């Protein structure tokens, strides 16, 4: 079975502007050493998908830097491998002429060439705002067996009230496993089933979707493609039961990151046999804990130097915590430098932030204090 | 157009490292783990690429499987090149018969064709069992500038330890007039680091003569260097200042690991301008539990620490369970220390499991020696491994 992957790197950029001001959703750092794209990319690689197109929109420099040739995902191939698909802006009729795409469907139209040439029988589509560790081979098998037009991976959420910081597609699934209704909501009472936007479709069907959308001027994938086809074509739900996180705002980024401190999250994301998460190798030395270091309930990347106290925090590569400093409930991105006698609580620092000696900074879980890239406080 | 490389590095990696015993049962010394995420050979390979040398022949013989696999196509060191790069050179069958490498000199002699394939004028001979950071380009510049036939890197050692090394006696201008292997009464404190630069033609001449001498043990230190001195060649000592450690014994391997710790470590790996590269598997970040106590340690990705860990160097994916104690020890990758177990003044090779409540080694102050446990060994629940013991399965 020949399957190709297609990753949308920018689609949810606007939901977390603090971190996407200088990068794509795909290249948001997450979990000490990863970028969000590492999860869909690793899922594809672990499911024997070795041809992957990455649709970009803007701000994709950091993404290109991260992906490189794709060798860290074993995707530096002569045949297939990773292809970055920058926006295709041209003055032809019937294309998104003269402007960048603004929806998933328009992005797909721009990637038509890749879909046309990739020689796969099926395609897996994925976004970067949802974090899963999923065996896509099972989804593909299930899709083929059911003979469905489209299979959407869904996740059932518990019976609490859900407020989504960005709109989410809630699906109603019939007893036969087919999706009967799809609604875009901002909040939901009680248990619900949401689309993860991971989808499997036959390549010829995707090409048909693209050309039909072009001729009708459709722009919305969930509305125009899924919505219009409900009842006409079989659109199936594949229920994913593993660990799931959906990042749609800075507070949810904070909450999802902190969830990694639970053994369930680490087991469900990082410790599944044969399904490890790959990322760019940085060759950092091991992390050093000084004589007076006190570290509790924290996730720490390589290349750090800890001389102070760290609790319930996530430290990315190359972070330094000075003597006498206390860091609680913080997410410190790559190469953050914390001087001596600093107090930090519920702070998110972007890369290369410097916190000078003696500073005290604090936010709240519902409103973490964010410090932009390269700033000095 | 025929391309050329000015200098080719030949890395001797065939040594068994018999004094490391339990750690070299299934692998050659250069591929023994060091410093959490490295192997000994990473230092020489990284030195090569950081010095701008991109053609390295690695001579293997003893238990090469792991080393071959580890070096692979050389990608982690940027040594995957279309011309040059890193090449594994095992003993082979030639026109005149097949033979094992009979000594360090013989290993190079059997691979003169590799050197000539790159048209190299200079040959840098290295051994893969030392921990140090050195710019070979500076040494080569020194060699060329002084017009030497052979340059040997030397390091100052304390006089009382000089009898453990090959000692160079030098004149004012740095030329060597005498070389004595492990002298009883050393008259110099300049120890050979086992790093040589030869002019290719001179090297060939002396290796040819050496190969025709049935009495020779085909060794650089014992035969070739003395022969070149006797032949009146220009032999230079190149003084090196910096960290250098031969990790050929259990004690020195332990010490070199400990040199990474402390406020002002003797060996610094975080220097961005001289990175040490290694091949490592993708492991998740390290996790330190809420009741853990970790101090003065070097910890690698994938570790999960719930117990107490002090003055230790931990490789990737090490697990220290609640109530377990690890002190003054080197734990290589994938070691698990179960609840209530204690590990003191020990070296545990990769994949070792210390069963719940077991005791390995003794506190450093009172122990008679370092306890060593070989790869994948399982220490049963409640068992005791005495200080200084060496066990493997």
């Amino acid at each position: 079975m020949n399957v190709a992957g297609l990753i949308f790197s920018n689609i949810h950029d606007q939901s977390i502007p603090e971190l996407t001001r200088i990068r794509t959703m795909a290249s948001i750092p997450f979990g000490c050493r990863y970028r969000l794209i590492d999860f869909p990319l690793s899922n594809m690689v672990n499911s024997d998908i070795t041809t992957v197109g990455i649709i970009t929109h803007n701000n994709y420099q950091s993404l290109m830097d991260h992906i490189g040739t794709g060798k860290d995902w074993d995707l530096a191939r002569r045949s297939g491998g990773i292809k970055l698909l920058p926006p295709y802006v041209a003055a032809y009729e019937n294309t998104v002429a003269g402007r960048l795409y603004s929806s998933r469907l328009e992005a797909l139209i721009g990637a038509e060439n890749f879909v046309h040439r990739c020689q796969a029988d099926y395609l897996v589509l994925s976004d970067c705002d949802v974090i899963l560790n999923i065996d896509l081979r099972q989804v593909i098998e299930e899709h083929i067996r059911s003979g469905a037009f489209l299979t959407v991976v869904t996740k059932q959420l518990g019976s609490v009230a859900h407020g989504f910081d960005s709109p989410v597609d809630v699906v109603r699934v019939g007893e036969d496993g087919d999706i009967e209704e799809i609604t875009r909501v901002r909040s939901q009472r009680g248990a619900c089933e949401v689309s993860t936007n991971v989808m499997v479709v036959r390549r010829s069907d995707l090409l048909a979707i693209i050309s039909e959308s072009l001729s009708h001027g459709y722009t919305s994938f969930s509305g125009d493609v899924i919505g219009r086809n409900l009842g006409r074509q079989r659109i199936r739900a594949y229920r994913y039961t593993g660990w799931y996180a959906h990042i749609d705002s800075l507070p949810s980024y904070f909450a999802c990151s902190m969830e990694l401190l639970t053994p369930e999250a680490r087991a469900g994301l990082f410790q599944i046999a044969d399904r490890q998460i790959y990322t760019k190798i940085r060759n950092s030395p091991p992390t050093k804990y000084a004589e007076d270091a006190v570290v509790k309930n924290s996730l720490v990347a390589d290349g750090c130097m800890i001389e102070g106290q760290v609790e319930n925090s996530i430290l990315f590569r190359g972070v330094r915590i000075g003597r006498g400093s206390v860091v609680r409930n913080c997410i410190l991105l790559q190469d953050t430098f914390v001087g001596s006698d600093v107090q930090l609580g519920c702070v998110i620092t972007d890369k290369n932030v410097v916190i000078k000696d003696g500073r005290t900074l604090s936010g709240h879980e519902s409103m973490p204090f964010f410090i932009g890239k390269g700033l000095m406080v | 157009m025929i391309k050329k490389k000015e200098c080719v590095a030949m890395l001797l990696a065939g040594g068994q490292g018999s004094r490391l015993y339990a750690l070299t049962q299934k692998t050659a010394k250069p591929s023994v783990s060091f410093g959490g995420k490295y192997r000994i050979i990473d230092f020489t390979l990284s030195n090569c690429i950081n010095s701008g040398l991109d053609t390295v022949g690695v001579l293997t013989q003893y238990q090469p499987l792991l080393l071959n696999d580890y070096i692979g196509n050389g990608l982690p060191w940027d040594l995957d090149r279309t011309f040059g790069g890193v090449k594994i050179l095992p003993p082979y069958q030639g026109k005149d018969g097949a033979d094992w490498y009979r000594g360090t000199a013989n290993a190079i002699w059997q691979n003169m064709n590799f050197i000539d394939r790159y048209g190299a004028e200079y040959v840098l001979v290295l051994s893969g069992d030392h921990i140090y950071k050195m710019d070979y380009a500076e040494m080569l510049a020194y060699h060329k500038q002084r017009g030497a036939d052979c340059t040997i890197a030397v390091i100052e050692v304390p006089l009382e330890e000089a009898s453990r090394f090959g000692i160079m006696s030098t004149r004012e201008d740095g030329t060597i007039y005498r070389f004595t292997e492990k002298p009883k009464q050393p008259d110099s404190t300049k120890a050979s680091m086992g790093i040589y630069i030869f002019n290719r033609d001179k090297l060939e001449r002396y290796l040819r003569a050496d190969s025709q001498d049935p009495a020779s043990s085909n060794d650089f230190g014992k035969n070739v260097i003395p022969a070149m001195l006797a032949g009146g060649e220009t032999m230079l000592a190149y003084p090196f200042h910096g960290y250098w450690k031969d990790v050929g014994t259990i004690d020195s391997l332990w010490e070199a690991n400990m040199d990474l710790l402390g406020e002002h470590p003797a060996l610094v790996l975080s220097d961005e301008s001289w990175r040490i590269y290694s091949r490592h598997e993708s492991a998740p970040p390290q996790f330190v539990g809420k009741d853990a106590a970790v101090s003065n340690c070097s910890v690698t990705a994938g570790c999960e620490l719930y117990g107490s860990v002090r003055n230790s160097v931990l490789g990737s994916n090490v697990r220290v369970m609640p109530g377990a104690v690890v002190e003054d020890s080197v734990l290589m990758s994938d070691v698990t220390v179960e609840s209530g177990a204690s590990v003191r003044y020990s070296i545990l090779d990769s994949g070792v499991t210390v069963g719940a409540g077991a005791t390995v080694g003794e506190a450093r102050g009172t122990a008679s020696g370092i306890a060593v446990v070989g790869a994948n060994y399982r220490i049963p629940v409640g068992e005791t491994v005495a200080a200084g013991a060496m066990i493997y399965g």
Side-chain angles (χ1 to χ4, degrees):
Chain A
M1 186 57 49
N2 199 345
V3 184
L6 201 50
I7 297 176
F8 299 84
S9 70
N10 289 75
I11 272 195
H12 306 278
D13 278 7
Q14 69 287 353
S15 63
I16 179 162
E18 296 89 343
L19 288 164
T20 55
R21 193 174 57 82
I22 47 157
R23 53 173 80 86
T24 63
M25 188 77 186
S27 46
I28 289 180
F30 183 80
C32 288
R33 58 196 299 269
Y34 305 97
R35 305 268 184 160
L36 290 180
I37 196 169
D38 292 337
F39 301 97
L41 209 46
S42 300
N43 283 334
M44 288 178 182
V45 171
N46 290 335
S47 309
D48 306 326
I49 298 173
T50 53
T51 302
V52 181
I54 300 173
I55 300 181
T56 64
H57 187 281
N58 50 19
N59 272 345
Y60 54 87
Q61 228 173 59
S62 65
L63 182 64
M64 287 178 66
D65 179 53
H66 181 68
I67 298 292
T69 59
K71 66 184 175 190
D72 290 327
W73 297 265
D74 202 12
L75 287 176
R77 306 284 179 105
R78 288 242 188 261
S79 149
I82 282 190
K83 285 195 176 57
L84 278 173
L85 308 171
Y88 183 74
V89 185
Y92 296 131
E93 250 184 301
N94 292 335
T95 62
V96 200
R99 66 185 177 90
L100 288 172
Y101 68 82
S102 58
S103 72
R104 181 189 309 277
L105 198 52
E106 288 177 352
L108 262 179
I109 291 165
E112 187 188 4
N113 232 343
F114 171 82
V115 179
H116 203 83
R117 285 157 171 255
C118 74
Q119 293 187 335
D121 302 312
Y122 293 88
L123 273 109
V124 175
L125 315 184
S126 185
D127 292 356
C128 293
D129 61 330
V130 169
I131 302 169
L132 317 167
N133 187 331
I134 185 172
D135 187 351
L136 294 167
R137 284 167 298 196
Q138 287 183 20
V139 187
I140 297 157
E141 246 171 59
E142 184 64 30
H143 176 77
I144 295 169
R145 201 175 50 214
S146 70
F149 172 70
L150 185 73
T151 297
V152 180
V153 176
T154 61
K155 174 73 184 174
Q156 288 177 299
L157 301 181
S159 57
V160 290
H162 302 283
F164 304 110
D165 291 324
S166 308
V168 164
D169 288 331
V170 169
V171 296
R172 188 161 55 82
V173 180
E175 272 174 20
D176 55 356
D178 285 9
I179 294 178
E180 294 172 343
E181 196 187 339
I182 184 158
T183 0
R184 185 154 285 197
V185 300
R186 264 195 174 275
S187 64
Q188 178 78 15
R189 286 208 167 279
C192 64
E193 189 163 359
V194 295
S195 161
T196 63
N197 283 327
V198 176
M199 292 179 260
V200 178
V201 60
R202 188 190 288 272
R203 187 170 67 105
S204 52
D205 288 339
L206 186 63
L207 285 169
I209 290 171
I210 292 172
S211 64
E212 196 188 344
S213 305
L214 266 175
S215 47
H216 290 91
Y218 294 157
T219 54
S220 158
F221 196 89
S222 64
D224 290 326
V225 177
I226 302 182
R228 272 169 209 275
N229 280 302
L230 281 175
R232 288 200 292 157
Q233 302 262 30
R234 290 189 62 204
I235 298 184
R236 276 187 72 80
Y238 176 96
R239 281 188 176 141
Y240 167 73
T241 52
W243 192 76
Y244 162 94
H246 178 215
I247 293 176
D248 63 351
S249 66
L250 198 64
S252 84
Y253 173 80
F254 186 79
C256 293
S257 297
M258 288 304 167
E259 221 188 297
L260 294 177
L261 297 176
T262 64
E264 296 77 27
R266 291 200 307 283
L269 192 57
F270 298 134
Q271 290 157 4
I272 299 177
D274 299 325
R275 275 169 34 202
Q276 56 175 316
I277 308 297
Y278 303 93
T279 189
K280 182 185 173 188
I281 287 174
R282 198 191 156 193
N283 261 299
S284 311
T287 282
K288 287 178 69 177
Y289 296 74
E291 189 70 45
D292 302 324
V294 179
V295 182
K296 305 277 180 201
N297 194 39
S298 292
L299 212 48
V300 181
D302 276 2
C304 297
M305 173 73 212
I306 305 173
E307 294 178 294
Q309 202 176 323
V310 179
E311 248 178 76
N312 309 329
S313 293
I314 312 272
L315 307 188
F316 282 70
R317 294 188 269 206
V319 168
R320 300 181 74 90
I321 310 287
R323 217 174 282 264
S325 290
V326 180
V327 173
R328 286 201 180 96
N329 308 312
C330 288
I331 301 171
L332 308 182
L333 266 51
Q334 198 170 308
D335 296 320
T336 293
F337 182 96
V338 177
S340 328
D341 304 310
V342 171
Q343 311 269 333
L344 298 181
C346 294
V347 171
I348 300 177
T349 58
D350 206 327
K351 286 171 74 172
N352 298 313
V353 164
V354 174
I355 315 276
K356 290 191 193 164
D357 294 356
R359 299 284 190 267
T360 299
L361 300 169
S362 186
H364 186 265
E365 281 166 33
S366 59
M367 183 67 74
F369 186 57
F370 178 79
I371 303 169
K373 184 177 176 179
L375 293 179
M376 192 181 283
V377 182
Chain B
M1 200 184 90
I2 299 163
K3 285 205 228 170
K4 282 190 171 184
K5 301 282 183 189
E6 186 188 30
C7 181
V8 164
M10 300 296 274
L11 209 168
L12 298 160
Q16 181 179 356
S18 48
R19 287 171 300 164
L20 292 177
Y21 208 65
L23 304 176
T24 50
Q25 286 298 304
K26 293 208 172 76
T27 185
K29 182 157 74 164
S31 46
V32 167
S33 298
F34 177 80
K37 70 192 303 183
Y38 307 94
R39 292 181 188 268
I40 296 170
I41 198 172
D42 285 330
F43 287 81
T44 21
L45 286 176
S46 300
N47 285 343
C48 282
I49 195 70
N50 289 339
S51 306
L53 280 171
D54 63 5
T55 309
V56 184
V58 178
L59 299 121
T60 60
Q61 177 151 296
Y62 174 78
Q63 294 276 21
L65 181 67
L66 185 66
L67 196 57
N68 289 349
D69 192 43
Y70 186 69
I71 291 174
N73 65 352
L75 189 141
W77 305 270
D78 252 346
L79 287 170
D80 53 330
R81 302 298 173 98
T82 40
F83 185 69
V86 65
K87 298 277 187 296
I88 303 272
L89 304 172
Y92 60 92
Q93 187 164 27
K95 181 163 62 71
D96 305 321
D99 206 348
W100 294 103
Y101 294 150
R102 276 163 302 169
T104 51
N106 180 256
I108 305 291
W109 172 242
Q110 289 199 39
N111 285 288
M112 284 307 290
N113 54 358
F114 175 80
I115 295 163
D116 292 341
R117 174 173 147 68
Y118 297 101
E121 279 174 71
Y122 303 100
V123 181
L124 170 67
V125 176
L126 303 165
S127 40
D129 44 13
H130 296 146
I131 304 286
Y132 64 108
K133 298 191 282 185
M134 179 175 174
D135 191 343
Y136 303 134
E138 280 179 19
M139 182 174 167
L140 180 62
Y142 183 77
H143 175 85
K144 279 159 56 181
Q145 183 205 330
R146 299 285 301 269
D149 296 307
C150 169
T151 300
I152 303 172
V154 295
I155 189 161
E156 291 287 340
V157 293
L159 188 63
E160 59 273 20
E161 284 180 34
S163 51
R164 287 174 38 217
F165 297 93
I167 294 295
M168 306 286 164
S169 310
T170 57
R171 301 182 189 91
E172 286 269 294
D173 63 353
T175 52
I176 301 164
Y177 64 88
R178 189 164 61 226
F179 170 75
T180 355
E181 189 76 72
K182 302 193 171 90
K184 292 220 166 58
Q185 252 106 41
D187 62 348
S188 159
T189 50
K190 289 188 170 66
S192 166
M193 297 164 68
I195 301 165
Y196 312 101
I197 293 179
F198 295 98
N199 290 355
R200 185 237 164 247
D201 295 344
K202 284 277 158 62
L203 178 68
E204 190 194 19
R205 192 199 305 163
Y206 281 92
L207 289 183
R208 184 185 301 281
D210 179 68
S211 73
Q212 287 160 354
D213 176 4
S216 170
S217 51
N218 308 114
D219 186 81
F220 275 106
K222 287 193 194 105
N223 310 104
V224 177
I225 302 299
M228 285 184 83
L229 270 173
E233 306 297 345
T234 313
M235 312 281 284
L236 262 186
Y238 173 75
F240 173 74
H241 308 281
Y243 186 88
W244 179 80
K245 195 129 196 161
D246 181 342
V247 286
T249 63
I250 293 294
D251 285 323
S252 65
L253 180 65
W254 183 89
E255 277 165 26
N257 273 288
M258 293 300 140
D259 285 340
L260 294 166
L261 301 178
E263 199 165 339
H264 302 289
L267 175 58
V268 177
L269 299 179
S270 56
D271 180 1
E272 297 266 317
S273 66
W274 204 269
R275 285 194 190 190
I276 305 302
Y277 300 93
S278 66
R279 184 186 290 278
H280 40 88
E281 284 178 29
S282 210
Q286 46 193 276
F287 179 73
V288 183
K290 64 182 194 331
D291 300 318
V294 184
S295 84
N296 195 32
C297 284
S298 170
V299 183
T300 312
C303 287
E304 299 243 338
L305 310 178
Y306 304 97
S308 156
V309 190
R310 282 181 53 81
N311 307 334
S312 295
V313 175
L314 273 51
S316 53
N317 303 315
V318 167
R319 274 169 178 57
V320 179
M321 302 315 281
V325 176
V326 176
E327 273 176 17
D328 303 308
S329 294
V330 178
L331 275 52
M332 296 176 186
S333 59
D334 303 297
V335 168
T336 301
V337 183
E338 301 281 10
S339 302
S342 70
V343 177
R344 291 187 171 89
Y345 199 39
S346 300
I347 298 179
L348 309 187
D349 203 348
S350 57
V352 166
T353 304
V354 181
T359 307
V360 181
E362 259 179 50
R364 197 183 154 207
T366 56
S368 54
I370 298 167
V372 182
V373 183
N376 302 318
Y377 194 86
R378 292 187 72 89
I379 296 164
V381 173
E383 199 84 348
T384 300
V385 175
M390 197 178 273
I391 54 171
Y392 57 92

